[in-house]
Amino acid sequence: SIAWNIEDRVKIEDRVKELELRAHGGTGLDVDSSKRMKGATDEESKICVVGFSHSYHLVYAFWANNLGHRFIYAPANYPKHLSTEFFEQYYHTRNCTKFVIGVGQHPAGYPYGAPFSLKQWRDEMTSVVTNEEIFKIDGEIKLYLRSIHHNPIGDMIGKCQPTDWRSPTVIDSYNFILENLVLDANNSRVDYLDTTFIIKWGALHGADLPCYEEERVELRRGPSGL
């Protein structure tokens, strides 16, 4: 049922927050260094995984592979949330210098109606990668535009007219734009991260989320710089 799926997602998100609290002394931007896990230091640079449900499932998979202490879940749904202040806060409070950004699910039409046009998606993401103030925060700041993941074609995506527009065609178009944004940016501190290899086609417990193959997260971790 939908209610069960939502409950399941909340449990996963709460578990991620619990693990972050133990490891880092807080969740999100709320930090209490006195609660930080032994061995986790302020000097250790972190990787912020930016997005919503797909992102916190990725962080949970990293925890399953004993890599979670290096990652911070940073909630954001739309490109407009990725302001200079957003990056500054996570840099100063969570020591994040690398940001894996996956904010395409909500712009692609879930859960609030029709998707961004391709032009709007391109324009809003361009405003992020060309924001020089972000890169002035620290010389080590790097942005990874993560591929937007496919979703199972259920009643919402597959019906006519759809009430969830995240069809493979829309997602592939968004990803094509992201890849070309990286090329056009010509910036060594902006990269594209293809994470489709860790996705299994099929719903997670019947929800609208894909399955994340946790054992594959450790096998291929993306660009060597990450």
Side-chain angles (χ1 to χ4, degrees), residues 12 28 63 72 109 113 163 219:
I12 294 292
W63 277 107
I72 299 292
T163 53
L219 295 177

Side-chain angles (χ1 to χ4, degrees), residues 28 72 95 106 144 172 181 201:
I72 299 292
N95 205 24
H106 286 246
Y144 294 88
D172 289 345
L181 278 183
W201 189 257

